[in-house]
Amino acid sequence: MTSRFDLIIFDCDGVLVDSEVISCRVHAEVLTRHGYPISTEQVFDRFLGRSSRQAHLEVEAELGRSLSDDYHTQLQDELFQSFATTMEAMPHIDQALAAIAQPVCVASSGSHARMRVSLGRAKLYDKFAPNIFSASQVQHGKPAPDLFLFAAAQMATPPERCLVIEDSIAGITGALAAGMAVFGFHGGTHCRPGYGDTLRAAGATLTFDDMRQLPGLIDAPSPSFRGIAQR
């Protein structure tokens, strides 16, 4: 059977690694210490799936001043420390990757340094390298399509033959704008009850919450059964 897809593009945080709870908490703590009080839940609602660069520009516009260099240093140090000690791979991701026949790559809002720490901790870095792409390599991060189009070009694959696996509204919006199919994953610890409905409303072709489902969904003959794997 011929597959509908020639390339599977994975987001990193919240898809390959269960890192979003850690990331949102650390961002909230460091922003609050630097004069921008915000809760973990508010970081989730406003910035999930977007690059730190975009989030910082928005915060600075509201503050009317630049965040200090110390802020950026503290944020990176605390994120990397938390990732290195507490972060885990998404359950069953190794099993899923082993069963996927197509080439795979990563397209993440995170920096290359962040992904080296997170994917390294999860023992996934070597499964994707060198096909690991960051929003720092394009002009506009998610929800713009730039990163997904860049990844497809680097992998020499037409956008319409790409499938994106995403956990955020920003990522789903960007994938659709790039002309790609997108499955919404809501199996991370950061996903609230009903989050699958949110991803479907954003335009995900279907949603799922267990990585063991993914190979079968990729090989399914038609995308017309929207929401088949929802729970």
Side-chain angles (χ1 to χ4, degrees):
M1 181 176 65
T2 301
S3 174
R4 296 178 280 137
F5 307 115
D6 296 330
L7 175 67
I8 313 301
I9 303 175
F10 286 87
D11 179 37
C12 181
D13 294 293
V15 173
L16 296 174
V17 295
D18 201 2
S19 58
E20 291 292 15
V21 167
I22 300 169
S23 179
C24 289
R25 174 183 56 78
V26 172
H27 271 85
E29 290 173 353
V30 178
L31 279 170
T32 298
R33 284 204 307 267
H34 284 260
Y36 189 83
I38 189 169
S39 68
T40 299
E41 291 74 20
Q42 288 170 322
V43 171
F44 178 96
D45 289 336
R46 291 183 58 184
F47 301 129
L48 186 71
R50 299 170 61 191
S51 70
S52 294
R53 177 180 61 188
Q54 291 171 303
H56 297 165
L57 289 173
E58 191 170 307
V59 168
E60 288 175 340
E62 293 182 23
L63 286 172
R65 60 173 173 83
S66 296
L67 289 162
S68 65
D69 291 339
D70 184 57
Y71 164 80
H72 297 283
T73 301
Q74 286 185 30
L75 178 62
Q76 178 170 284
D77 288 350
E78 293 185 28
L79 271 176
F80 288 5
Q81 182 178 7
S82 294
F83 284 173
T85 57
T86 63
M87 194 213 66
E88 300 293 341
M90 197 61 68
H92 312 300
I93 186 61
D94 280 318
Q95 181 179 339
L97 291 172
I100 293 171
Q102 292 88 342
V104 297
C105 69
V106 179
S108 172
S109 295
S111 67
H112 281 287
R114 172 173 170 159
M115 285 187 282
R116 184 171 290 278
V117 173
S118 62
L119 292 174
R121 159 78 180 181
K123 297 181 171 57
L124 294 173
Y125 191 86
D126 291 339
K127 294 181 184 293
F128 289 94
N131 301 318
I132 298 173
F133 310 112
S134 166
S136 63
Q137 295 175 274
V138 297
Q139 184 174 2
H140 301 291
K142 305 171 190 179
D146 303 28
L147 178 56
F148 295 118
L149 293 173
F150 177 77
Q154 295 300 304
M155 300 295 290
T157 306
E160 65 271 16
R161 299 292 298 174
C162 297
L163 169 66
V164 176
I165 312 302
E166 266 287 353
D167 72 310
S168 72
I169 295 173
I172 288 172
T173 302
L176 294 174
M180 301 178 181
V182 56
F183 292 176
F185 176 69
H186 58 105
T189 55
H190 65 291
C191 295
R192 305 160 176 166
Y195 192 59
D197 295 333
T198 300
L199 298 181
R200 285 190 294 278
T205 305
L206 55 81
T207 59
F208 67 106
D209 64 0
D210 188 322
M211 279 295 172
R212 290 171 292 189
Q213 298 172 284
L214 181 56
L217 296 174
I218 291 171
D219 292 336
S222 170
S224 60
F225 38 82
R226 180 180 295 273
I228 187 172
Q230 61 184 288
R231 289 184 179 179

